[in-house]
mmCIF file with all atom_site columns, all heavy atoms in Angstrom:
data_model
loop_
_atom_site.group_PDB
_atom_site.id
_atom_site.type_symbol
_atom_site.label_atom_id
_atom_site.label_alt_id
_atom_site.label_comp_id
_atom_site.label_asym_id
_atom_site.label_entity_id
_atom_site.label_seq_id
_atom_site.pdbx_PDB_ins_code
_atom_site.Cartn_x
_atom_site.Cartn_y
_atom_site.Cartn_z
_atom_site.occupancy
_atom_site.B_iso_or_equiv
_atom_site.pdbx_formal_charge
_atom_site.auth_seq_id
_atom_site.auth_comp_id
_atom_site.auth_asym_id
_atom_site.auth_atom_id
_atom_site.pdbx_PDB_model_num
ATOM 1  N N   . ARG A 1 353 ? -17.551 -12.226 -17.798 1.00 0.00 ? 366 ARG A N   1
ATOM 2  C CA  . ARG A 1 353 ? -17.155 -12.459 -19.145 1.00 0.00 ? 366 ARG A CA  1
ATOM 3  C C   . ARG A 1 353 ? -17.309 -11.144 -19.927 1.00 0.00 ? 366 ARG A C   1
ATOM 4  O O   . ARG A 1 353 ? -16.461 -10.754 -20.688 1.00 0.00 ? 366 ARG A O   1
ATOM 5  C CB  . ARG A 1 353 ? -18.021 -13.515 -19.821 1.00 0.00 ? 366 ARG A CB  1
ATOM 6  C CG  . ARG A 1 353 ? -17.578 -13.985 -21.167 1.00 0.00 ? 366 ARG A CG  1
ATOM 7  C CD  . ARG A 1 353 ? -18.442 -15.116 -21.742 1.00 0.00 ? 366 ARG A CD  1
ATOM 8  N NE  . ARG A 1 353 ? -18.521 -16.315 -20.925 1.00 0.00 ? 366 ARG A NE  1
ATOM 9  C CZ  . ARG A 1 353 ? -19.020 -17.331 -21.436 1.00 0.00 ? 366 ARG A CZ  1
ATOM 10 N NH1 . ARG A 1 353 ? -19.582 -17.424 -22.578 1.00 0.00 ? 366 ARG A NH1 1
ATOM 11 N NH2 . ARG A 1 353 ? -19.191 -18.473 -20.599 1.00 0.00 ? 366 ARG A NH2 1
ATOM 12 N N   . LEU A 1 354 ? -18.442 -10.354 -19.672 1.00 0.00 ? 367 LEU A N   1
ATOM 13 C CA  . LEU A 1 354 ? -18.642 -9.110  -20.359 1.00 0.00 ? 367 LEU A CA  1
ATOM 14 C C   . LEU A 1 354 ? -17.529 -8.198  -20.005 1.00 0.00 ? 367 LEU A C   1
ATOM 15 O O   . LEU A 1 354 ? -17.004 -7.600  -21.011 1.00 0.00 ? 367 LEU A O   1
ATOM 16 C CB  . LEU A 1 354 ? -19.917 -8.501  -19.737 1.00 0.00 ? 367 LEU A CB  1
ATOM 17 C CG  . LEU A 1 354 ? -20.206 -7.031  -19.868 1.00 0.00 ? 367 LEU A CG  1
ATOM 18 C CD1 . LEU A 1 354 ? -20.458 -6.753  -21.406 1.00 0.00 ? 367 LEU A CD1 1
ATOM 19 C CD2 . LEU A 1 354 ? -21.365 -6.585  -18.993 1.00 0.00 ? 367 LEU A CD2 1
ATOM 20 N N   . TRP A 1 355 ? -17.123 -7.895  -18.792 1.00 0.00 ? 368 TRP A N   1
ATOM 21 C CA  . TRP A 1 355 ? -16.111 -6.978  -18.439 1.00 0.00 ? 368 TRP A CA  1
ATOM 22 C C   . TRP A 1 355 ? -14.718 -7.517  -18.852 1.00 0.00 ? 368 TRP A C   1
ATOM 23 O O   . TRP A 1 355 ? -13.842 -6.679  -19.298 1.00 0.00 ? 368 TRP A O   1
ATOM 24 C CB  . TRP A 1 355 ? -16.107 -6.679  -16.971 1.00 0.00 ? 368 TRP A CB  1
ATOM 25 C CG  . TRP A 1 355 ? -17.268 -5.757  -16.669 1.00 0.00 ? 368 TRP A CG  1
ATOM 26 C CD1 . TRP A 1 355 ? -18.480 -6.018  -16.122 1.00 0.00 ? 368 TRP A CD1 1
ATOM 27 C CD2 . TRP A 1 355 ? -17.367 -4.277  -16.984 1.00 0.00 ? 368 TRP A CD2 1
ATOM 28 N NE1 . TRP A 1 355 ? -19.307 -4.913  -15.994 1.00 0.00 ? 368 TRP A NE1 1
ATOM 29 C CE2 . TRP A 1 355 ? -18.674 -3.895  -16.625 1.00 0.00 ? 368 TRP A CE2 1
ATOM 30 C CE3 . TRP A 1 355 ? -16.494 -3.441  -17.623 1.00 0.00 ? 368 TRP A CE3 1
ATOM 31 C CZ2 . TRP A 1 355 ? -19.117 -2.549  -16.658 1.00 0.00 ? 368 TRP A CZ2 1
ATOM 32 C CZ3 . TRP A 1 355 ? -16.899 -2.094  -17.718 1.00 0.00 ? 368 TRP A CZ3 1
ATOM 33 C CH2 . TRP A 1 355 ? -18.265 -1.651  -17.271 1.00 0.00 ? 368 TRP A CH2 1
ATOM 34 N N   . GLY A 1 356 ? -14.579 -8.748  -18.773 1.00 0.00 ? 369 GLY A N   1
ATOM 35 C CA  . GLY A 1 356 ? -13.228 -9.314  -19.328 1.00 0.00 ? 369 GLY A CA  1
ATOM 36 C C   . GLY A 1 356 ? -13.058 -9.057  -20.742 1.00 0.00 ? 369 GLY A C   1
ATOM 37 O O   . GLY A 1 356 ? -11.990 -8.662  -21.203 1.00 0.00 ? 369 GLY A O   1
ATOM 38 N N   . LYS A 1 357 ? -14.056 -9.326  -21.550 1.00 0.00 ? 370 LYS A N   1
ATOM 39 C CA  . LYS A 1 357 ? -14.024 -9.084  -23.044 1.00 0.00 ? 370 LYS A CA  1
ATOM 40 C C   . LYS A 1 357 ? -13.869 -7.643  -23.382 1.00 0.00 ? 370 LYS A C   1
ATOM 41 O O   . LYS A 1 357 ? -13.088 -7.274  -24.201 1.00 0.00 ? 370 LYS A O   1
ATOM 42 C CB  . LYS A 1 357 ? -15.250 -9.708  -23.692 1.00 0.00 ? 370 LYS A CB  1
ATOM 43 C CG  . LYS A 1 357 ? -15.155 -11.266 -23.644 1.00 0.00 ? 370 LYS A CG  1
ATOM 44 C CD  . LYS A 1 357 ? -16.415 -11.905 -24.273 1.00 0.00 ? 370 LYS A CD  1
ATOM 45 C CE  . LYS A 1 357 ? -16.422 -12.057 -25.763 1.00 0.00 ? 370 LYS A CE  1
ATOM 46 N NZ  . LYS A 1 357 ? -15.544 -13.112 -26.244 1.00 0.00 ? 370 LYS A NZ  1
ATOM 47 N N   . LEU A 1 358 ? -14.694 -6.764  -22.684 1.00 0.00 ? 371 LEU A N   1
ATOM 48 C CA  . LEU A 1 358 ? -14.582 -5.356  -22.984 1.00 0.00 ? 371 LEU A CA  1
ATOM 49 C C   . LEU A 1 358 ? -13.160 -4.856  -22.698 1.00 0.00 ? 371 LEU A C   1
ATOM 50 O O   . LEU A 1 358 ? -12.652 -4.135  -23.545 1.00 0.00 ? 371 LEU A O   1
ATOM 51 C CB  . LEU A 1 358 ? -15.639 -4.548  -22.066 1.00 0.00 ? 371 LEU A CB  1
ATOM 52 C CG  . LEU A 1 358 ? -15.650 -3.119  -22.254 1.00 0.00 ? 371 LEU A CG  1
ATOM 53 C CD1 . LEU A 1 358 ? -17.136 -2.563  -22.220 1.00 0.00 ? 371 LEU A CD1 1
ATOM 54 C CD2 . LEU A 1 358 ? -14.640 -2.320  -21.358 1.00 0.00 ? 371 LEU A CD2 1
#
Side-chain angles (χ1 to χ4, degrees):
R366 192 182 298 191
L367 161 69
W368 284 103
K370 287 175 86 74
L371 180 144

